[in-house]
Structures are given as C-alpha cells and as structure tokens.
Amino acid sequence: MAAARGLGVLQGCGVRYFARLGHGLVAGGSGQRMGSASWRCRWASSSAGAGLSRSYGSEAKGDEELRVRYLEEENKGADLKERAQMNLNEVSSFVSKSRAVINEIANLPMPTIAAIDGIALGGGLELALACDIRVAASSAKMGLVETKLAIIPGAGGTQRLPRVIGMSLAKEMIFSARVLDGQEAKSIGLISHVLEQNEKGDAAYRKALALAKEFLPQGPVAVRVAKLAINQGMEVDLVTGLAIEEACYAQTIPTKDRLEGLLAFKEKRPPRYKGE
C-alpha cells in the first residue's frame, strides 16, 4: 500500500491495508463472510489526508491508489458446526461464494502478500495461495485438510497448490491432510520466507511490511504489468509466454512513469511515479 497510485500495504507507506481473518478483526470497511472467517479492509492515502473504507471486491481492481495488498491470515477454515447444519444446496452455494471471493483476490492487478502468523487450514490456506507472495512465522500451521472430512479443497486448492509446490508434493499434502509448520512450508516452497515468531506475534506481518517497502518505490504501472505477464505466461508455452511479455512491455513504453524513471536516473534522484 503506498502513496500515489499503483501497488497496496501498510503502516508508514502512504496507503494502508489490513485484513484479519477469523478472530480479532482489524481495520474498517464493510465485511464479507466466508464460513467462520470474516474479513474487512481499509486503505487510506496519506497524501490526501483522508481514509477510505471499501468492500474488498472487484472495484478494487481499478483503484489506482492501491500499490500492494497485505493479507494477515488467522483463518482456521470453515466453521464445521455451521457447515453441519447446511443442506446440500447451501453447502454448494457456500463453496461457490468462497471460490468467487478467493478468485477476486487472485485476480487483483496489484501485488498481494499473505502474512501467516497463526493457523491457515483449508480455506485459509486456499486464500493465502491466491496471493502472489506468502510469508509465515515458524510456529504457523498450514494445510489443506479437507480429505480428513471426506471432501476435497473446493476454493482453488487442488489447482493452485500444485502450481506452487509441484504436483507430487501437492498430492502428498492433500491425500494425507498433512499440516505443516513454517519451516516445513518453506522447505517445499509453499512460502517464500519463514520468521521466528516474536513476542507480539506479528513476525510475518513485519516481513510483509518490509517486502512492501521494497515494492513501493518501483513504477506502479510496471509492477502491475509485470504481474500480468508472469501470471499469464506461466499458463502457456515459452514461445507464447515471450509474446505475452512483449505485449506487456509495450504497455509501459508510452507511460509518463517511464520518462520519469529515465529522468530520475539521469538526475540521480528518487523517481516520483504517478502511475501514468
């Protein structure tokens, strides 16, 4: 989250965003419900001196003020007692809505970071898998445990997990309903960074903040287009992927940010990007 347009996180970065799933919600905005997990979000532009509260939905895709999204994960998954009271149609609707929400997150144009400081099981991990980057405390617990309940991951887990850690390891995790700690998750590439938990219990949040600070100074249009090129290119062969990269690169050429970047380099000063 940043000053000016383009990416979304956090304190001290201009635009601020917090989301907490499960217990102890933080931030303003309208909430949505996914089983036992609720989330809310807020981002505010410090340059405008005002806060904005919005629902976390498709309209965020066009929000040019947002630079990086940060997701703080505290979701143990669906409320099984609640699910037990649902009829077949209600279960189907619940899973469909959960899948739609997670797909919305996956399709956001700005970088997204999932910070896992607690438990992310089932839908909680599926939500984290929809983010671009995942960081976790060593004490965190993660897994797709649905087969233990005689169902399968239904909000993208069977598709996104293999794309992150490979087919064989994904099958092993899903077939066994295995729960991993942060160190184990890092060893198989499920998360990018693992941190020893601190006294405040926010080690993953702190790492997400540090990563966001690295992303924020970069050209916002370039970062968004880079994400698009990577995501689309990973789904096709190399030749097609290179064509996608060429088309995405072409989108950055006429931007004011590209000229600003060149001028800043020449003048040996930080660039002042506007997302244009």
Side-chain angles (χ1 to χ4, degrees):
M1 316 180 161
R5 309 187 209 3
L7 288 169
V9 193
L10 307 162
Q11 293 171 313
C13 296
V15 178
R16 191 172 118 184
Y17 168 74
F18 297 90
R20 182 181 295 275
L21 300 179
H23 311 293
L25 289 171
V26 284
S30 58
Q32 299 290 333
R33 184 163 178 80
M34 264 177 39
S36 63
S38 298
W39 47 259
R40 296 183 179 184
C41 72
R42 181 183 65 185
W43 57 91
S45 171
S46 60
S47 60
L52 295 175
S53 294
R54 302 190 180 183
S55 61
Y56 189 56
S58 58
E59 77 278 2
K61 295 178 184 178
D63 192 300
E64 294 300 320
E65 293 297 319
L66 197 61
R67 292 289 188 90
V68 178
R69 277 198 181 281
Y70 146 73
L71 206 57
E72 184 173 16
E73 182 67 90
E74 263 195 7
N75 181 20
K76 299 180 181 180
D79 185 333
L80 298 181
K81 292 181 180 180
E82 182 181 60
R83 288 280 290 272
Q85 305 301 316
M86 295 180 182
N87 60 40
L88 297 180
N89 290 334
E90 289 172 333
V91 170
S92 179
S93 176
F94 172 88
V95 174
S96 179
K97 290 177 181 178
S98 298
R99 186 184 302 113
V101 168
I102 290 174
N103 284 342
E104 285 282 347
I105 294 170
N107 292 329
L108 287 171
M110 67 290 294
T112 53
I113 303 171
I116 308 171
D117 273 310
I119 297 175
L121 302 178
L125 181 55
E126 288 180 302
L127 185 57
L129 284 167
C131 293
D132 298 313
I133 299 166
R134 287 161 296 283
V135 299
S138 57
S139 58
K141 301 296 181 184
M142 291 156 274
L144 296 179
V145 297
E146 285 86 350
T147 56
K148 186 177 292 187
L149 303 172
I151 56 175
I152 69 170
T158 64
Q159 302 305 304
R160 292 193 175 97
L161 186 62
R163 286 167 165 78
V164 171
I165 66 173
M167 184 183 296
S168 182
L169 283 173
K171 287 179 176 178
E172 187 175 324
M173 275 191 66
I174 292 171
F175 295 168
S176 65
R178 186 176 300 156
V179 176
L180 308 179
D181 62 25
Q183 294 289 351
E184 293 168 323
K186 175 65 169 63
S187 71
I188 64 172
L190 179 56
I191 61 175
S192 300
H193 302 276
V194 59
L195 303 308
E196 288 300 318
Q197 189 57 281
N198 57 34
E199 292 183 0
K200 292 185 177 180
D202 65 351
Y205 161 79
R206 294 296 168 187
K207 182 60 179 180
L209 176 60
L211 288 171
K213 287 180 177 179
E214 289 188 61
F215 300 164
L216 292 171
Q218 318 315 324
V221 174
V223 171
R224 289 178 182 232
V225 173
K227 174 174 176 174
L228 178 65
I230 294 168
N231 286 354
Q232 292 192 355
M234 288 299 294
E235 301 300 323
V236 298
D237 61 88
L238 179 59
V239 173
T240 306
L242 291 171
I244 291 171
E245 179 185 81
E246 182 179 8
C248 288
Y249 187 95
Q251 294 182 40
T252 67
I253 294 175
T255 63
K256 294 179 181 179
D257 279 356
R258 185 182 69 86
L259 299 178
E260 166 62 16
L262 292 172
L263 182 62
F265 178 79
K266 180 180 178 180
E267 297 177 352
K268 298 181 180 180
R269 61 169 173 80
R272 295 185 288 269
Y273 293 126
K274 297 182 179 180
E276 300 174 346

